[in-house]
Amino acid sequence: MKIVIIGGVAGGATAAARLRRLDEKADIVLFERDTYVSFANCGLPYHIGGVIEHREKLLLQTPAGFKSRYDVDARVLSEVIAIHPDSKSVTVREVNTGRSYVEGYDKLIVSTGASPLKPNIKGVDNERVFTLRNMSDMDRIKATVAREGIDSAVVVGAGFIGLEMAENLKKAGLSVTVIEQLNQVMNTVDYPMAAMVHRYLRSQGVNLLLGETVTAFEPKGDRLRVQTKSQKAIETDIVIMSIGVRPETGLAREAGLTIGCSGGIKVNGYMQTSHPDIYAVGDAVEVTNLVTGKPALIPLAGPANKQARIAADNIVMGNSRTYKGTVGTCIAKLFDISVGAAGATERQLQKEGIEYITSICHGSTHSGYYPGALLISLKINFSPNGKLLGAQAVGFGGVDKRIDLLAQVIRNGGTVQDLQEIEQAYAPPFSSAKDPVNMAGFIAENILQGRVKIIHWHDIDTRDPETVLVDVRTTEEYQAGHIDQSLHIPVDELRGRLGEIPKGKTIYIYCKIGLRGYVATRILMQCGFEAVYNLSGGYDTYACVKEG
């Protein structure tokens, strides 16, 4: 059997290696239009910033290595320009010579990936405007950054790659401005969590321009002037465009393969396209979002590798393994903070008309009495019957551990009750007896059982003037900062000062992170106060969001 693979990075390279391990006799040919195969594209920003010092560390395999270890014919600088399903062949163009030839196949795997979006605006093709997709892009950016006189950069787009580039450009010694069209960074998390990232990035010297749209890049001497819709003008030495990616489906479209409603190549559970002898994997394909149940584009390296393995198994052993879908589990490190997410955001749930409840909790990476405990914040979105729909984490440690646990509960269709019962390895240096994940479950159950009613940060400023706002923190905390027009009664004094709180009115309670607010809410509810609400995430969340 002869198997041809189009694309030699994550999905294609994984499929090639798996195919060989399953079938020593197969004839495997891999085509890659770039100079390199099997490189670590997720690591590219870190070489630019000098975190990964040696670029060869990013090269996981070479054509010669593929041949010697896997007996795979990996042809670089070879671009497939057409797929011919009827004749089961592809047309290949050699990039260096321009020569074209036809290569036949029995089975074909399409792993063409996704390409960076480039908006149609004035000056976007200027030589100082870069995108980052491959090793060559990385080399050009790094060489430019290293030139004398290059000391500033603008990053357009505040997704994961854009912010990783911002971090690494700062580490390379540049001043950095990030411009984002949305009012927040990282659309994979909800606004309160993004606000924590805003505060931290600014503390690291990154200038954030949110809710801004770039309208033009104009040369000014040997620099660029970046123009925005609000008439701002930022002068810079280089620009990194990072506004997202689109699946590379041109070959599939021209070959008559079905393209899904999301714009990716449509595949079944076997990773098989509309043509039975052609499979597709990675960023170019449409997958099922396991929360919404609908087709989606979720370009992540982990799913791409898993899809490639499944496609290889099905080619060799017959269609027997299925890819069920993804919840979009992702994480990024930005300086010393980590941001992770899985499942659906509030925006996605609202768009799909899915009813949900949300709550925020703040905790520590491990027991507070053990030295070195760091802040970690969790936000979960869940249905009125308790099904976990989405989770997000921001913190200075342990984010990966928590988001992985939460992702598996979402993937398995689990509930907030499951969060309460998760068993984690516990010792004071590693966690708490009641881990933040367990605490998120406890809080959600209290909400569902009616033991507490909650409000969110945006409810504070839109409250009815008759609402009574009660701050139950200590005097020192209150004096350091509080919400205007709030009555101050520390929780430990509350039972003796109930007479100061009017009955028959709506009462909003808040503390630092929500825990003392919950205690105060329970006291009031059991003492005859009815419309009592606790501020989810407490004053810490409210103050952070108000900073923007």
Side-chain angles (χ1 to χ4, degrees):
M1 178 166 58
K2 183 174 182 179
I3 305 154
V4 166
I5 301 169
I6 305 174
V9 192
T14 296
R18 178 66 172 175
L19 286 165
R20 176 57 71 220
R21 290 194 293 268
L22 294 176
D23 187 350
E24 184 62 22
K25 305 290 187 182
D27 182 6
I28 305 170
V29 181
L30 183 151
F31 292 109
E32 170 54 50
R33 67 185 177 190
D34 195 15
T35 309
Y36 304 97
V37 293
S38 192
F39 62 88
N41 52 2
C42 294
L44 301 180
Y46 299 100
H47 180 58
I48 293 169
V51 177
I52 299 172
E53 185 176 354
H54 303 291
R55 74 188 291 279
E56 57 269 20
K57 295 278 189 181
L58 298 172
L59 299 172
L60 307 179
Q61 192 54 273
T62 65
F66 259 126
K67 184 64 177 176
S68 62
R69 179 165 297 181
Y70 297 108
D71 192 23
V72 169
D73 183 5
R75 305 179 196 174
V76 296
L77 297 172
S78 298
E79 182 179 12
V80 174
I81 58 175
I83 300 170
H84 313 290
D86 292 341
S87 62
K88 297 177 72 171
S89 64
V90 297
T91 299
V92 185
R93 182 181 68 86
E94 294 178 345
V95 173
N96 286 340
T97 67
R99 182 180 77 91
S100 295
Y101 62 93
V102 174
E103 190 85 21
Y105 64 81
D106 295 306
K107 301 288 184 181
L108 177 69
I109 297 178
V110 178
S111 183
T112 44
S115 58
L117 289 169
K118 244 183 153 178
N120 184 25
I121 59 177
K122 179 183 175 183
V124 74
D125 293 323
N126 187 287
E127 64 180 7
R128 288 175 177 261
V129 179
F130 299 89
T131 58
L132 180 62
R133 185 190 186 195
N134 54 36
M135 295 287 289
S136 299
D137 294 337
M138 177 193 73
D139 290 339
R140 285 192 292 271
I141 295 171
K142 188 168 179 64
T144 301
V145 168
R147 290 204 320 243
E148 187 175 349
I150 302 296
D151 58 15
S152 63
V154 166
V155 178
V156 183
F160 278 57
I161 299 300
L163 293 185
E164 287 170 355
M165 279 301 304
E167 173 196 4
N168 282 282
L169 290 169
K170 281 290 291 183
K171 287 184 175 178
L174 278 63
S175 64
V176 178
T177 296
V178 176
I179 302 176
E180 169 56 52
Q181 189 172 15
L182 299 177
N183 68 340
Q184 67 166 81
V185 302
M186 292 183 162
N187 66 2
T188 50
V189 300
D190 293 318
Y191 189 78
M193 306 301 278
M196 300 175 197
V197 183
H198 299 167
R199 173 190 280 179
Y200 178 72
L201 288 175
R202 287 172 175 137
S203 77
Q204 298 300 304
V206 176
N207 181 31
L208 294 180
L209 295 180
L210 304 174
E212 282 281 10
T213 302
V214 174
T215 56
F217 302 107
E218 299 175 350
K220 186 181 180 185
D222 58 357
R223 307 187 83 205
L224 279 178
R225 179 186 285 124
V226 182
Q227 298 283 1
T228 72
K229 191 173 183 180
S230 67
Q231 306 303 312
K232 286 187 174 67
I234 304 103
E235 289 191 15
T236 187
D237 293 308
I238 65 169
V239 171
I240 308 294
M241 294 297 303
S242 184
I243 60 173
V245 297
R246 68 160 56 92
E248 290 217 11
T249 59
L251 281 174
R253 288 179 186 274
E254 291 167 10
L257 302 182
T258 301
I259 304 300
C261 60
S262 68
I265 301 170
K266 189 176 180 62
V267 293
N268 60 20
Y270 304 121
M271 304 310 300
Q272 195 173 32
T273 70
S274 53
H275 192 285
D277 292 317
I278 302 177
Y279 292 72
V281 301
D283 295 354
V285 306
E286 178 180 86
V287 297
T288 299
N289 182 313
L290 290 177
V291 175
T292 67
K294 294 186 176 180
L297 296 173
I298 305 179
L300 294 168
N305 280 274
K306 295 174 181 66
Q307 294 160 15
R309 184 180 176 92
I310 288 170
D313 287 3
N314 290 332
I315 286 173
V316 174
M317 300 182 292
N319 287 345
S320 56
R321 293 193 59 202
T322 59
Y323 184 76
K324 297 176 177 61
T326 180
V327 297
T329 309
C330 54
I331 191 168
K333 184 193 81 66
L334 306 172
F335 300 96
D336 293 324
I337 204 170
S338 298
V339 186
T345 62
E346 290 192 60
R347 292 182 304 281
Q348 290 172 307
L349 294 169
Q350 290 165 6
K351 180 181 176 182
E352 298 297 336
I354 297 173
E355 191 176 359
Y356 69 94
I357 301 166
T358 188
S359 67
I360 297 173
C361 69
H362 304 284
S364 297
T365 52
H366 59 250
S367 296
Y369 57 81
Y370 187 88
L374 300 170
L375 175 69
I376 185 169
S377 301
L378 300 182
K379 181 178 188 294
I380 60 172
N381 301 326
F382 52 98
S383 71
N385 65 5
K387 183 178 180 181
L388 189 61
L389 303 173
Q392 300 150 31
V394 175
F396 293 92
V399 167
D400 54 343
K401 171 180 177 177
R402 274 71 183 203
I403 209 66
D404 285 345
L405 286 170
L406 291 159
Q408 295 319 303
V409 173
I410 297 169
R411 186 173 182 84
N412 294 329
T415 67
V416 296
Q417 285 78 20
D418 294 321
L419 300 185
Q420 301 174 69
E421 298 171 11
I422 282 180
E423 282 189 53
Q424 295 175 236
Y426 163 62
F430 300 104
S431 182
S432 302
K434 292 185 286 189
D435 187 84
V437 170
N438 301 133
M439 291 301 299
F442 297 151
I443 292 168
E445 186 201 32
N446 285 334
I447 294 168
L448 293 174
Q449 294 298 322
R451 297 188 189 101
V452 64
K453 299 173 185 176
I454 61 169
I455 52 167
H456 298 285
W457 61 271
H458 49 78
D459 296 315
I460 294 292
D461 294 340
T462 59
R463 68 187 185 276
D464 186 286
E466 294 296 310
T467 299
V468 179
L469 191 59
V470 183
D471 184 326
V472 298
R473 298 173 300 156
T474 64
T475 299
E476 291 77 15
E477 289 174 296
Y478 182 81
Q479 291 174 345
H482 59 269
I483 301 173
D484 289 343
Q485 300 177 330
S486 55
L487 174 65
H488 178 230
I489 305 177
V491 65
D492 293 340
E493 302 175 15
L494 185 60
R495 289 183 181 87
R497 297 175 60 181
L498 293 176
E500 298 178 33
I501 303 175
K503 288 194 173 181
K505 291 185 178 290
T506 299
I507 300 167
Y508 286 177
I509 303 288
Y510 74 90
C511 65
K512 177 178 172 60
I513 61 173
L515 178 57
R516 284 172 290 173
Y518 171 60
V519 173
T521 300
R522 291 300 300 160
I523 291 171
L524 293 180
M525 289 176 68
Q526 294 177 84
C527 289
F529 295 85
E530 295 182 356
V532 184
Y533 298 82
N534 187 30
L535 176 61
S536 182
Y539 182 76
D540 278 6
T541 296
Y542 175 81
C544 188
V545 169
K546 294 302 287 183
E547 285 182 22

